[in-house]
Amino acid sequence: MNVILLGPPGAGKGTQARLLVEQRGMVQLSTGDMLREAQASGSAMGRRVAEVMARGALVSDDIVIGLIEERLRSGTGGGAIFDGFPRTLAQADALEALLARLGQRIDAVIELRVDDAVLVDRVSGRYVCGNCGEVWHDRTRPTRVPGVCDACGSTDLRRRADDNETSLRQRLMEYYKKTAPLIGYYHAKGLLAPVDGLAPVAEVAAAIRAVLDAPPGGLDARSERP
Ligand code: ADP
Ligand code: AMP
């Protein structure tokens, strides 16, 4: 099963993707994480994208499509959760073609619906474990012991360089200009499932579980006969 998590920065895509990995043995494919790994490794590509990411612009389609292609080629077992990809119509087309080549398809597109007003708080309170990647929040999801990751015990808790208000404003503009059109696109394909992203994490997870237990299926899964 292949699922896309769609929503603005801070909507809760990474948080929910990690829960799906835990509960369903799916693989999380986060282009944001892949790009941050490339930066941390000091690769030429990582150095090229650092400035683009810091200012909250989108990295070029060919780079992120290349990253996804590489990961899909190495197999996704119980299915993939696309987190932060696709972000443009060109990326959506490329994903469809890549999956078709593997005899696969997208089964559902979960749209995490949130108000812009909560995003500044979501993003400015976010911190992530540098060891296991668990996502925390100062107010809504703090670690039990300050400075120690509940999931793995690491004290390597980090803030993201782009989690500031200026970058968030730019990321939101990019989202509305280039990514939000995907909502209509996947709706037209019969794949869209909106979920209330303002609810507590466990409730959002339950709503997503319900969608995945009865996926929308899409146009090509529907019979034309009455
Ligand atoms: P995205 O991957 O969409 O950018 P994240 O999953 O990283 O979003 O979540 C952004 C921040 O909001 C994190 O600090 C996370 O702990 C917090 N968060 C995620 N989902 C919820 C929720 N349903 N309610 C409250 N806070 C949440
Ligand atoms: P994220 O971790 O999803 O919030 O992404 C962080 C940043 O990485 C974004 O602001 C973009 O600069 C870049 N990025 C991540 N995924 C993509 C994508 N699919 N297309 C273009 N840029 C991306």
Side-chain angles (χ1 to χ4, degrees):
M1 166 169 256
N2 294 303
V3 180
I4 294 173
L5 296 180
L6 202 58
K13 302 181 295 294
T15 300
Q16 296 301 329
R18 290 182 65 82
L19 290 173
L20 288 170
V21 168
E22 219 173 272
Q23 294 162 0
R24 297 197 173 231
M26 297 173 82
V27 178
Q28 177 186 9
L29 298 185
S30 158
T31 39
D33 285 350
M34 294 173 203
L35 291 165
R36 279 183 289 277
E37 275 160 29
Q39 267 186 60
S41 77
S43 71
M45 185 271 274
R47 286 197 302 273
R48 260 205 326 276
V49 299
E51 178 273 331
V52 177
M53 290 174 74
R55 77 183 143 83
L58 289 190
V59 168
S60 69
D61 287 336
D62 54 332
I63 288 181
V64 287
I65 291 166
L67 287 169
I68 288 288
E69 184 171 12
E70 202 181 307
R71 294 293 285 269
L72 284 178
R73 260 211 227 103
S74 54
T76 53
I81 309 143
F82 296 93
D83 159 13
F85 180 92
R87 264 174 153 101
T88 63
L89 286 163
Q91 291 177 23
D93 283 344
L95 177 60
E96 203 172 316
L98 286 172
L99 288 174
R101 244 184 273 158
L102 298 168
Q104 295 183 37
R105 60 199 293 277
I106 295 153
D107 297 280
V109 179
I110 311 272
E111 181 203 353
L112 289 175
R113 287 203 173 155
V114 289
D115 294 336
D116 287 356
V118 306
L119 296 179
V120 174
D121 176 65
R122 287 267 183 104
V123 158
S124 56
R126 167 163 54 192
Y127 56 103
V128 180
C129 176
N131 180 52
C132 72
E134 194 60 50
V135 187
W136 304 102
H137 189 278
D138 291 326
R139 201 176 44 75
T140 65
R141 200 166 184 263
T143 52
R144 271 195 308 265
V145 179
V148 183
C149 176
D150 289 5
C152 74
S154 169
T155 52
D156 180 13
L157 298 177
R158 305 171 181 181
R159 306 265 172 192
R160 274 172 48 175
D162 58 348
D163 276 350
N164 56 73
E165 215 175 319
T166 315
S167 166
L168 175 64
R169 213 170 297 128
Q170 178 62 29
R171 282 148 74 197
L172 262 182
M173 285 306 290
E174 294 282 67
Y175 176 77
Y176 286 118
K177 236 164 64 186
K178 298 173 185 164
T179 309
L182 296 182
I183 295 170
Y185 174 72
Y186 286 122
H187 168 73
K189 282 179 160 283
L191 290 171
L192 195 73
V195 162
D196 176 15
L198 292 171
V201 171
E203 283 178 31
V204 178
I208 292 176
R209 265 201 307 278
V211 172
L212 300 194
D213 287 343
L219 291 176
D220 45 351
R222 285 183 199 157
S223 166
E224 284 189 23
R225 278 176 247 117

